[in-house]
């Protein structure tokens, strides 16, 4: 696959295209952090409200990714 960007104005588009995998890794790390809170939160002193919020945020992230035909798997 070849991506071509011809002008200075398109440099942001080029950087976005090249950084796609980094974005996926960052979202994976965030998902895993939230997963750890929901799964092990009680043992790491998270409140039940924090555990519930982590679960809701994790669901929201997956819903947004799904709307854009993306996934973390």
């Amino acid at each position: 696959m070849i991506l071509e960007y011809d002008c200075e104005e398109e440099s942001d588009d080029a950087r976005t295209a090249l950084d796609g995998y980094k974005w996926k890794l960052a979202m994976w790390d965030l998902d895993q952090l939230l997963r750890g809170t929901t799964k092990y939160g009680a043992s790491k002193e998270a409140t039940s409200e924090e555990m519930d919020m982590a679960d809701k945020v994790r669901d929201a992230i997956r819903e947004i990714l799904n709307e854009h035909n993306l996934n973390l798997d």
Side-chain angles (χ1 to χ4, degrees):
M1 178 185 303
I2 297 173
L3 300 174
E4 288 187 30
Y5 295 91
D6 296 326
C7 63
E8 185 74 27
E9 293 85 33
E10 293 179 338
S11 65
D12 286 339
D13 293 336
R15 179 53 40 206
T16 298
L18 293 171
D19 286 346
Y21 189 69
K22 291 179 186 178
W23 279 95
K24 182 177 182 174
L25 290 176
M27 292 304 296
W28 173 263
D29 288 346
L30 177 59
D31 182 67
Q32 293 305 300
L33 177 67
L34 294 167
R35 179 180 178 271
T37 300
T38 59
K39 189 171 183 179
Y40 305 111
S43 65
K44 292 187 177 185
E45 301 181 10
T47 66
S48 61
E49 291 85 8
E50 290 169 331
M51 292 169 58
D52 289 342
M53 182 54 68
D55 195 39
K56 288 178 183 179
V57 170
R58 192 168 183 231
D59 288 344
I61 289 170
R62 291 187 176 271
E63 184 176 317
I64 290 167
L65 290 174
N66 189 46
E67 288 172 3
H68 293 278
N69 294 319
L70 299 170
N71 66 60
L72 294 176
D73 303 321

